[in-house]
Amino acid sequence: MSQHRGRKTDTQSFIHSPEKQQQLYKRTLLVVVISQIFGGAGLAAGITVGALLARDMLGTDSVSGLPTALFTLGSAGAALLVGRLSQRFGRRTGLATGFLAGGLGAIGVIIAAVTNSIWLLFLSLFIYGAGTATNLQARYAGTDLASSKQRAKAVSIAMVSTTLGAVAGPNLVDVMGEFAVSIGIPALAGPFILAAAAYTLAGLILFVSLRPDPFIVAKAIADAKQSSGRLPLEENADLSMIDKRRGILAGASVMVITQFVMTAIMTMTPIHMGHHGFGLNAVGIVIGFHIGAMFLPSLVTGMLVDKIGRSAMAIASAITLLAAGLLAAWGPADSMAVLVTALVLLGLGWNFGLISGTAILVDATPPTTRAKTQGSVDVGIALSGAIGGGLSGIIVAQSSFATLSITGAMLSLVLIPIVMWAGIHKQWKPAESN
């Protein structure tokens, strides 16, 4: 009881102090940045070698998309759990739990590779997906105390910090593989040793350092303003319920479709490269460039989303994904330069979509339901990734990598009518006009 009163008193001190709110906002971003560096390294393992590990253990290419489907399906359940925990107990509890679960899953993958247990591999990849979901949900923590002028920027800072770990991860494939062999573990399980350590560290950093909890403080501020009759302008209080629902639907659709297209093409790229004589090191380089493009441009993307608008960048996402799919399908399959360019465009299109979609979603939701809604939307994002990853192997096995890429390219164009229907360009103006 006294602990609860202490936390409430600590939170109350922020309600009427904009200076303390900004200090906590900046401190929260710092903690998120540090945790995301480790989280990015954990994320990269499954993307880079998950499909290759499953292929070696199962002896067939047709189920090579299954690992991505499993850990993205696991991330769907984790997104729901992290969102609910964050809504009830704050970001600290939700995010720390998710990262620690991801670390546990990575340990399970290592044990499965050593014992050659397919079922343990599947179960562990499912649990490992919690880290992927948490990596994405961490971007919301930076927006809790951000104004509408800071939201896209806050998301971009959280995402760009993931780059350091995410780009380093694939390029450590050979090093971690050699280390794994030296201690009697299969080489392809090596990156999961890095993932286990990275996710665990990310969870511990958040659990220890994310105090006071930014989401709990943001809810207290919103409650105080509502009870006093003062509603913040940045919450778009003048929007109708229909406009807000359209905003939620549009933001979710942008993120879901970009996730589906990106995951489907990215999942089968290592297999496609293997069929054309590329080694594991080349795969690591291509995926490293891809992940770099997913996160590194985030600061510029965030600025553009705040400056020229949410809808413009969502449409830019569709056009960029279209170009990526067409280049991957029609470019020379044995050209490293073409593969790198296609995967960079794929990552960039995803980056545009995730940041613009996140900003649209945050704009449309009040703090009283925000974390819960964010978690539910991230379930859809994870499920779309699971479906994309699962279908990708089947499509390539039954047809070709080119067919998969063209299908993804055409699907990305659906974003344009969705954004225009929602009227985001009319509802939310660039930040400087708010």
Coordinates of all heavy atoms in Angstrom, one line a residue, residues 8-88:
K8 N 2.3 6.9 -6.6 CA 1.3 7.9 -7.0 C 1.8 9.3 -6.7 O 1.6 10.2 -7.5 CB 0.0 7.6 -6.3 CG -1.2 8.5 -6.7 CD -2.5 8.1 -6.0 CE -3.6 8.9 -6.5 NZ -4.9 8.6 -5.8
T9 N 2.4 9.5 -5.6 CA 3.0 10.8 -5.2 C 4.0 11.2 -6.2 O 4.1 12.4 -6.6 CB 3.6 10.8 -3.8 OG1 2.5 10.4 -2.9 CG2 4.1 12.1 -3.4
D10 N 4.9 10.3 -6.6 CA 5.9 10.6 -7.5 C 5.4 11.0 -8.9 O 5.8 11.9 -9.5 CB 6.8 9.3 -7.7 CG 8.1 9.6 -8.5 OD1 8.7 10.7 -8.3 OD2 8.5 8.8 -9.3
T11 N 4.3 10.3 -9.3 CA 3.6 10.6 -10.6 C 3.0 12.0 -10.5 O 3.0 12.8 -11.5 CB 2.6 9.6 -10.9 OG1 3.2 8.3 -11.0 CG2 1.9 9.9 -12.2
Q12 N 2.3 12.3 -9.4 CA 1.6 13.6 -9.2 C 2.6 14.8 -9.4 O 2.2 15.8 -9.9 CB 1.0 13.7 -7.8 CG -0.2 12.7 -7.6 CD -1.4 13.1 -8.4 OE1 -1.6 14.2 -8.7 NE2 -2.1 12.1 -8.9
S13 N 3.8 14.6 -9.1 CA 4.8 15.7 -9.1 C 5.0 16.2 -10.6 O 5.5 17.3 -10.8 CB 6.1 15.4 -8.5 OG 6.8 14.3 -9.2
F14 N 4.7 15.3 -11.6 CA 4.9 15.6 -13.0 C 3.7 16.3 -13.6 O 3.8 17.0 -14.7 CB 5.2 14.3 -13.8 CG 6.5 13.8 -13.5 CD1 6.7 12.9 -12.5 CD2 7.6 14.1 -14.3 CE1 8.0 12.3 -12.2 CE2 8.9 13.6 -14.1 CZ 9.1 12.7 -13.0
I15 N 2.5 16.2 -13.0 CA 1.3 16.7 -13.6 C 1.3 18.2 -14.0 O 0.9 18.6 -15.1 CB 0.1 16.3 -12.8 CG1 -0.1 14.8 -12.7 CG2 -1.2 17.0 -13.3 CD1 -1.2 14.3 -11.8
H16 N 1.8 19.0 -13.0 CA 1.7 20.4 -13.2 C 3.1 21.0 -13.5 O 3.3 22.2 -13.3 CB 1.1 21.1 -12.0 CG -0.3 20.6 -11.7 ND1 -1.3 20.8 -12.5 CD2 -0.7 19.9 -10.6 CE1 -2.4 20.2 -12.0 NE2 -2.1 19.7 -10.8
S17 N 4.0 20.2 -13.9 CA 5.4 20.6 -14.2 C 5.8 20.3 -15.6 O 6.4 19.2 -15.8 CB 6.4 20.1 -13.2 OG 7.7 20.5 -13.5
P18 N 5.6 21.1 -16.6 CA 6.1 20.8 -18.0 C 7.6 20.6 -18.1 O 8.0 19.8 -18.9 CB 5.7 22.1 -18.7 CG 4.6 22.7 -18.0 CD 4.9 22.4 -16.5
E19 N 8.3 21.3 -17.2 CA 9.8 21.1 -17.2 C 10.1 19.6 -16.8 O 11.0 19.0 -17.5 CB 10.5 22.0 -16.2 CG 10.4 23.5 -16.6 CD 9.0 24.1 -16.2 OE1 8.2 23.4 -15.5 OE2 8.7 25.2 -16.7
K20 N 9.5 19.1 -15.8 CA 9.7 17.7 -15.3 C 9.2 16.7 -16.4 O 9.9 15.7 -16.6 CB 9.1 17.4 -14.0 CG 9.7 18.2 -12.8 CD 9.2 17.7 -11.5 CE 9.7 16.3 -11.2 NZ 9.3 15.9 -9.8
Q21 N 8.1 17.1 -17.1 CA 7.6 16.2 -18.1 C 8.7 16.1 -19.2 O 8.9 15.0 -19.7 CB 6.3 16.7 -18.6 CG 5.2 16.7 -17.7 CD 3.9 17.4 -18.2 OE1 3.8 17.6 -19.4 NE2 3.1 17.8 -17.2
Q22 N 9.2 17.2 -19.6 CA 10.2 17.2 -20.7 C 11.5 16.5 -20.3 O 12.1 15.8 -21.1 CB 10.6 18.6 -21.2 CG 9.5 19.2 -22.1 CD 9.4 18.4 -23.4 OE1 10.4 18.2 -24.1 NE2 8.2 17.9 -23.7
Q23 N 11.9 16.6 -19.0 CA 13.0 15.9 -18.5 C 12.8 14.4 -18.6 O 13.7 13.6 -19.0 CB 13.4 16.3 -17.1 CG 13.9 17.7 -17.0 CD 14.1 18.2 -15.5 OE1 13.8 17.4 -14.6 NE2 14.5 19.4 -15.3
L24 N 11.6 14.0 -18.2 CA 11.3 12.5 -18.2 C 11.2 12.0 -19.6 O 11.6 10.9 -19.9 CB 10.0 12.3 -17.4 CG 9.6 10.8 -17.4 CD1 10.7 9.9 -16.7 CD2 8.3 10.7 -16.6
Y25 N 10.6 12.9 -20.5 CA 10.5 12.5 -21.9 C 11.9 12.2 -22.5 O 12.2 11.2 -23.2 CB 9.9 13.7 -22.7 CG 10.0 13.6 -24.2 CD1 9.4 12.6 -25.0 CD2 10.8 14.6 -24.9 CE1 9.5 12.6 -26.3 CE2 10.9 14.6 -26.2 CZ 10.3 13.6 -27.0 OH 10.5 13.5 -28.3
K26 N 12.9 13.1 -22.2 CA 14.2 12.9 -22.7 C 14.9 11.7 -22.1 O 15.6 11.0 -22.8 CB 15.1 14.2 -22.5 CG 14.6 15.4 -23.3 CD 15.4 16.7 -22.9 CE 14.9 17.9 -23.7 NZ 15.6 19.1 -23.4
R27 N 14.7 11.5 -20.8 CA 15.3 10.4 -20.1 C 14.7 9.1 -20.6 O 15.4 8.1 -20.8 CB 15.0 10.5 -18.6 CG 15.7 9.4 -17.8 CD 15.6 9.7 -16.3 NE 16.3 8.7 -15.5 CZ 15.9 7.5 -15.2 NH1 14.7 7.1 -15.6 NH2 16.7 6.7 -14.5
T28 N 13.4 9.1 -20.9 CA 12.8 7.9 -21.4 C 13.4 7.5 -22.8 O 13.7 6.4 -23.0 CB 11.3 8.1 -21.6 OG1 10.7 8.3 -20.3 CG2 10.6 6.9 -22.2
L29 N 13.6 8.5 -23.6 CA 14.2 8.3 -24.9 C 15.6 7.7 -24.8 O 15.9 6.8 -25.6 CB 14.2 9.6 -25.8 CG 12.9 10.0 -26.4 CD1 13.2 11.3 -27.2 CD2 12.4 9.0 -27.3
L30 N 16.3 8.2 -23.8 CA 17.7 7.6 -23.6 C 17.7 6.2 -23.2 O 18.4 5.4 -23.8 CB 18.4 8.5 -22.6 CG 19.8 8.0 -22.2 CD1 20.7 8.1 -23.5 CD2 20.4 8.9 -21.1
V31 N 16.8 5.8 -22.3 CA 16.7 4.4 -21.9 C 16.2 3.5 -23.0 O 16.7 2.4 -23.2 CB 15.7 4.3 -20.7 CG1 15.4 2.9 -20.3 CG2 16.2 5.1 -19.5
V32 N 15.2 4.0 -23.8 CA 14.7 3.3 -24.9 C 15.8 3.1 -25.9 O 16.0 2.0 -26.5 CB 13.5 4.0 -25.5 CG1 13.1 3.3 -26.9 CG2 12.3 3.9 -24.6
V33 N 16.6 4.1 -26.2 CA 17.7 4.0 -27.2 C 18.7 2.9 -26.8 O 19.1 2.0 -27.6 CB 18.4 5.3 -27.3 CG1 19.8 5.2 -28.0 CG2 17.6 6.3 -28.1
I34 N 19.1 2.9 -25.5 CA 20.1 1.9 -25.0 C 19.5 0.5 -25.1 O 20.2 -0.4 -25.6 CB 20.5 2.2 -23.6 CG1 21.2 3.6 -23.5 CG2 21.4 1.1 -23.0 CD1 21.5 4.1 -22.1
S35 N 18.3 0.3 -24.7 CA 17.6 -1.0 -24.8 C 17.5 -1.5 -26.2 O 17.6 -2.7 -26.5 CB 16.3 -1.0 -24.0 OG 15.3 -0.2 -24.7
Q36 N 17.1 -0.5 -27.1 CA 16.9 -0.9 -28.5 C 18.1 -1.3 -29.2 O 18.1 -2.1 -30.2 CB 16.2 0.2 -29.2 CG 14.7 0.4 -28.9 CD 13.9 -0.7 -29.3 OE1 13.8 -1.7 -28.6 NE2 13.2 -0.6 -30.4
I37 N 19.3 -0.8 -28.8 CA 20.6 -1.2 -29.4 C 20.7 -2.8 -29.2 O 21.1 -3.5 -30.1 CB 21.7 -0.5 -28.8 CG1 21.7 1.0 -29.3 CG2 23.1 -1.1 -29.2 CD1 22.7 1.9 -28.6
F38 N 20.5 -3.2 -28.0 CA 20.6 -4.6 -27.7 C 19.4 -5.4 -28.3 O 19.6 -6.5 -28.9 CB 20.6 -4.9 -26.2 CG 21.8 -4.4 -25.5 CD1 21.8 -3.2 -24.8 CD2 23.0 -5.1 -25.6 CE1 23.0 -2.8 -24.1 CE2 24.2 -4.7 -25.0 CZ 24.2 -3.5 -24.3
G39 N 18.2 -4.8 -28.3 CA 17.1 -5.5 -28.9 C 17.2 -5.7 -30.4 O 16.8 -6.7 -30.9
G40 N 17.9 -4.7 -31.1 CA 18.1 -4.9 -32.5 C 19.0 -6.1 -32.8 O 18.8 -6.8 -33.8
A41 N 20.0 -6.3 -32.0 CA 20.9 -7.4 -32.2 C 20.2 -8.7 -32.0 O 20.4 -9.7 -32.7 CB 22.1 -7.3 -31.2
G42 N 19.3 -8.8 -31.0 CA 18.5 -10.0 -30.8 C 17.5 -10.2 -32.0 O 17.3 -11.4 -32.4
L43 N 17.0 -9.2 -32.5 CA 16.0 -9.3 -33.7 C 16.7 -9.9 -34.9 O 16.1 -10.7 -35.6 CB 15.5 -7.9 -34.0 CG 14.7 -7.7 -35.3 CD1 13.4 -8.4 -35.2 CD2 14.6 -6.2 -35.6
A44 N 17.9 -9.6 -35.1 CA 18.6 -9.9 -36.4 C 18.9 -11.4 -36.5 O 18.9 -11.9 -37.6 CB 19.9 -9.2 -36.5
A45 N 19.0 -12.2 -35.4 CA 19.4 -13.6 -35.5 C 18.3 -14.4 -36.3 O 18.6 -15.1 -37.2 CB 19.5 -14.2 -34.1
G46 N 17.1 -14.2 -35.9 CA 16.0 -15.0 -36.5 C 15.8 -14.7 -38.0 O 15.6 -15.5 -38.8
I47 N 15.9 -13.4 -38.3 CA 15.8 -12.9 -39.7 C 16.9 -13.5 -40.6 O 16.6 -14.0 -41.7 CB 15.8 -11.4 -39.8 CG1 14.6 -10.8 -39.1 CG2 15.9 -10.9 -41.2 CD1 14.6 -9.3 -39.0
T48 N 18.1 -13.6 -40.0 CA 19.2 -14.0 -40.9 C 19.4 -15.5 -41.1 O 19.6 -15.9 -42.2 CB 20.6 -13.4 -40.3 OG1 20.4 -12.0 -40.0 CG2 21.7 -13.6 -41.2
V49 N 19.2 -16.2 -40.0 CA 19.5 -17.7 -40.1 C 18.4 -18.6 -39.7 O 18.5 -19.8 -39.8 CB 20.8 -18.0 -39.2 CG1 22.0 -17.3 -39.7 CG2 20.5 -17.8 -37.8
G50 N 17.3 -18.0 -39.3 CA 16.1 -18.9 -38.9 C 15.7 -19.8 -40.0 O 15.5 -21.0 -39.8
A51 N 15.5 -19.3 -41.2 CA 15.1 -20.1 -42.4 C 16.2 -21.2 -42.7 O 15.8 -22.3 -43.0 CB 14.8 -19.2 -43.6
L52 N 17.4 -20.8 -42.6 CA 18.5 -21.7 -43.0 C 18.6 -22.8 -42.0 O 18.8 -24.0 -42.3 CB 19.8 -20.9 -43.0 CG 19.9 -19.8 -44.1 CD1 21.2 -19.1 -44.0 CD2 19.8 -20.4 -45.5
L53 N 18.4 -22.5 -40.7 CA 18.5 -23.5 -39.6 C 17.3 -24.5 -39.8 O 17.5 -25.8 -39.7 CB 18.4 -22.9 -38.2 CG 18.4 -23.8 -37.0 CD1 19.7 -24.6 -37.0 CD2 18.2 -23.0 -35.7
A54 N 16.1 -24.1 -40.1 CA 15.0 -25.0 -40.3 C 15.2 -25.8 -41.5 O 14.9 -27.0 -41.5 CB 13.7 -24.2 -40.5
R55 N 15.8 -25.3 -42.6 CA 16.0 -26.0 -43.8 C 17.0 -27.2 -43.5 O 16.8 -28.3 -44.0 CB 16.6 -25.1 -44.9 CG 16.8 -25.8 -46.2 CD 17.6 -25.0 -47.2 NE 19.0 -24.8 -46.6 CZ 19.9 -24.1 -47.2 NH1 19.6 -23.4 -48.3 NH2 21.1 -23.9 -46.7
D56 N 18.0 -26.9 -42.8 CA 19.0 -27.9 -42.5 C 18.4 -29.0 -41.6 O 18.7 -30.2 -41.8 CB 20.2 -27.3 -41.8 CG 21.2 -26.6 -42.7 OD1 20.8 -26.5 -43.9 OD2 22.2 -26.1 -42.3
M57 N 17.6 -28.6 -40.6 CA 17.0 -29.6 -39.7 C 15.9 -30.4 -40.4 O 15.7 -31.6 -40.0 CB 16.5 -28.9 -38.4 CG 17.6 -28.3 -37.6 SD 17.1 -27.5 -36.1 CE 16.4 -28.9 -35.1
L58 N 15.2 -29.8 -41.3 CA 14.0 -30.5 -41.9 C 14.4 -31.1 -43.3 O 13.7 -32.0 -43.8 CB 12.9 -29.5 -42.1 CG 12.2 -29.0 -40.8 CD1 11.3 -27.8 -41.1 CD2 11.4 -30.1 -40.2
G59 N 15.5 -30.6 -43.9 CA 15.9 -31.1 -45.2 C 15.1 -30.8 -46.4 O 15.1 -31.5 -47.4
T60 N 14.3 -29.6 -46.3 CA 13.5 -29.2 -47.5 C 13.4 -27.7 -47.5 O 13.4 -27.1 -46.4 CB 12.1 -29.9 -47.4 OG1 11.4 -29.3 -48.5 CG2 11.4 -29.6 -46.1
D61 N 13.2 -27.1 -48.7 CA 13.1 -25.7 -48.8 C 11.6 -25.2 -48.6 O 11.3 -24.1 -48.3 CB 13.5 -25.2 -50.2 CG 15.0 -25.1 -50.3 OD1 15.7 -25.2 -49.3 OD2 15.5 -25.0 -51.5
S62 N 10.7 -26.2 -48.8 CA 9.2 -25.8 -48.8 C 8.7 -25.2 -47.5 O 7.7 -24.5 -47.5 CB 8.4 -27.0 -49.2 OG 8.5 -28.0 -48.3
V63 N 9.4 -25.6 -46.4 CA 9.0 -25.0 -45.1 C 10.0 -24.0 -44.6 O 10.0 -23.7 -43.4 CB 8.8 -26.2 -44.1 CG1 7.7 -27.1 -44.4 CG2 10.1 -27.0 -43.9
S64 N 10.8 -23.5 -45.4 CA 11.8 -22.5 -45.0 C 11.2 -21.2 -44.5 O 11.9 -20.5 -43.7 CB 12.8 -22.2 -46.1 OG 13.5 -23.3 -46.5
G65 N 10.0 -20.9 -44.9 CA 9.3 -19.8 -44.4 C 8.7 -20.0 -43.0 O 8.2 -19.0 -42.4
L66 N 8.7 -21.2 -42.5 CA 8.0 -21.5 -41.3 C 8.6 -20.9 -40.0 O 7.9 -20.4 -39.2 CB 8.0 -23.1 -41.1 CG 7.1 -23.6 -39.9 CD1 5.6 -23.1 -40.1 CD2 7.1 -25.1 -39.9
P67 N 10.0 -20.8 -39.9 CA 10.5 -20.1 -38.8 C 10.0 -18.6 -38.6 O 9.7 -18.2 -37.5 CB 12.0 -20.2 -39.0 CG 12.2 -21.4 -39.8 CD 11.0 -21.4 -40.7
T68 N 10.0 -17.9 -39.8 CA 9.6 -16.5 -39.7 C 8.1 -16.5 -39.3 O 7.6 -15.7 -38.6 CB 9.8 -15.9 -41.1 OG1 11.1 -15.9 -41.4 CG2 9.3 -14.4 -41.1
A69 N 7.3 -17.5 -39.9 CA 5.9 -17.5 -39.5 C 5.7 -17.8 -38.0 O 4.8 -17.2 -37.4 CB 5.2 -18.6 -40.4
L70 N 6.5 -18.7 -37.5 CA 6.4 -19.0 -36.1 C 6.8 -17.9 -35.2 O 6.0 -17.6 -34.2 CB 7.3 -20.2 -35.8 CG 6.7 -21.6 -36.2 CD1 7.8 -22.7 -36.1 CD2 5.5 -22.0 -35.4
F71 N 7.9 -17.2 -35.4 CA 8.3 -16.2 -34.5 C 7.5 -14.9 -34.7 O 7.3 -14.1 -33.7 CB 9.8 -15.9 -34.4 CG 10.5 -15.3 -35.5 CD1 10.3 -14.0 -35.9 CD2 11.5 -16.0 -36.2 CE1 11.0 -13.4 -37.0 CE2 12.2 -15.5 -37.3 CZ 11.9 -14.2 -37.7
T72 N 6.9 -14.7 -35.9 CA 6.0 -13.6 -36.0 C 4.6 -13.9 -35.4 O 3.9 -13.0 -34.9 CB 5.9 -13.2 -37.5 OG1 5.6 -14.3 -38.3 CG2 7.1 -12.5 -38.0
L73 N 4.2 -15.2 -35.5 CA 3.0 -15.6 -34.8 C 3.1 -15.5 -33.3 O 2.2 -15.0 -32.6 CB 2.6 -17.1 -35.2 CG 1.3 -17.6 -34.7 CD1 0.1 -16.8 -35.3 CD2 1.1 -19.1 -35.1
G74 N 4.3 -15.9 -32.8 CA 4.6 -15.7 -31.4 C 4.6 -14.2 -31.0 O 4.1 -13.9 -29.9
S75 N 5.1 -13.4 -31.9 CA 5.1 -12.0 -31.6 C 3.7 -11.4 -31.6 O 3.4 -10.4 -30.9 CB 5.9 -11.2 -32.6 OG 5.3 -11.1 -33.9
A76 N 2.7 -12.0 -32.3 CA 1.3 -11.6 -32.2 C 0.8 -11.7 -30.8 O 0.2 -10.8 -30.2 CB 0.5 -12.3 -33.2
G77 N 1.0 -12.9 -30.2 CA 0.5 -13.2 -28.9 C 1.2 -12.3 -27.9 O 0.6 -11.7 -26.9
A78 N 2.5 -12.1 -28.1 CA 3.3 -11.2 -27.2 C 2.9 -9.8 -27.3 O 2.9 -9.1 -26.3 CB 4.8 -11.4 -27.5
A79 N 2.6 -9.3 -28.5 CA 2.1 -7.9 -28.7 C 0.9 -7.7 -27.9 O 0.7 -6.6 -27.2 CB 1.9 -7.7 -30.2
L80 N 0.0 -8.6 -27.9 CA -1.3 -8.5 -27.1 C -1.0 -8.4 -25.6 O -1.5 -7.6 -24.9 CB -2.2 -9.6 -27.4 CG -3.6 -9.5 -26.9 CD1 -4.4 -8.4 -27.5 CD2 -4.4 -10.8 -27.1
L81 N -0.1 -9.4 -25.2 CA 0.3 -9.4 -23.8 C 1.0 -8.2 -23.3 O 0.7 -7.6 -22.3 CB 1.2 -10.7 -23.5 CG 1.7 -10.8 -22.1 CD1 0.6 -11.0 -21.1 CD2 2.6 -12.0 -22.0
V82 N 2.0 -7.7 -24.1 CA 2.8 -6.6 -23.8 C 1.9 -5.3 -23.7 O 2.0 -4.5 -22.8 CB 4.0 -6.4 -24.8 CG1 4.6 -5.0 -24.5 CG2 5.0 -7.5 -24.6
G83 N 1.0 -5.2 -24.7 CA 0.1 -4.1 -24.7 C -0.8 -4.1 -23.5 O -1.0 -3.0 -22.9
R84 N -1.4 -5.2 -23.1 CA -2.2 -5.3 -21.9 C -1.4 -5.0 -20.6 O -1.9 -4.3 -19.7 CB -2.9 -6.7 -21.8 CG -3.9 -7.0 -22.9 CD -5.0 -6.1 -23.0 NE -6.1 -6.5 -23.9 CZ -6.1 -6.3 -25.2 NH1 -5.2 -5.6 -25.7 NH2 -7.1 -6.7 -25.9
L85 N -0.2 -5.6 -20.5 CA 0.6 -5.3 -19.3 C 1.0 -3.8 -19.3 O 1.0 -3.3 -18.2 CB 1.9 -6.2 -19.4 CG 1.7 -7.7 -19.1 CD1 3.0 -8.4 -19.4 CD2 1.3 -7.9 -17.7
S86 N 1.3 -3.2 -20.4 CA 1.7 -1.8 -20.4 C 0.5 -0.9 -20.0 O 0.7 0.0 -19.3 CB 2.2 -1.4 -21.8 OG 3.3 -2.1 -22.1
Q87 N -0.7 -1.3 -20.5 CA -1.9 -0.5 -20.2 C -2.2 -0.5 -18.7 O -2.5 0.5 -18.1 CB -3.1 -1.0 -20.9 CG -4.4 -0.2 -20.8 CD -4.3 1.2 -21.5 OE1 -3.9 1.2 -22.7 NE2 -4.6 2.3 -20.8
R88 N -2.0 -1.7 -18.1 CA -2.3 -1.9 -16.7 C -1.2 -1.5 -15.7 O -1.4 -0.8 -14.7 CB -2.7 -3.3 -16.4 CG -3.2 -3.6 -15.0 CD -3.8 -4.9 -14.8 NE -4.3 -5.1 -13.5 CZ -4.9 -6.2 -13.1 NH1 -5.1 -7.2 -13.9 NH2 -5.3 -6.3 -11.8

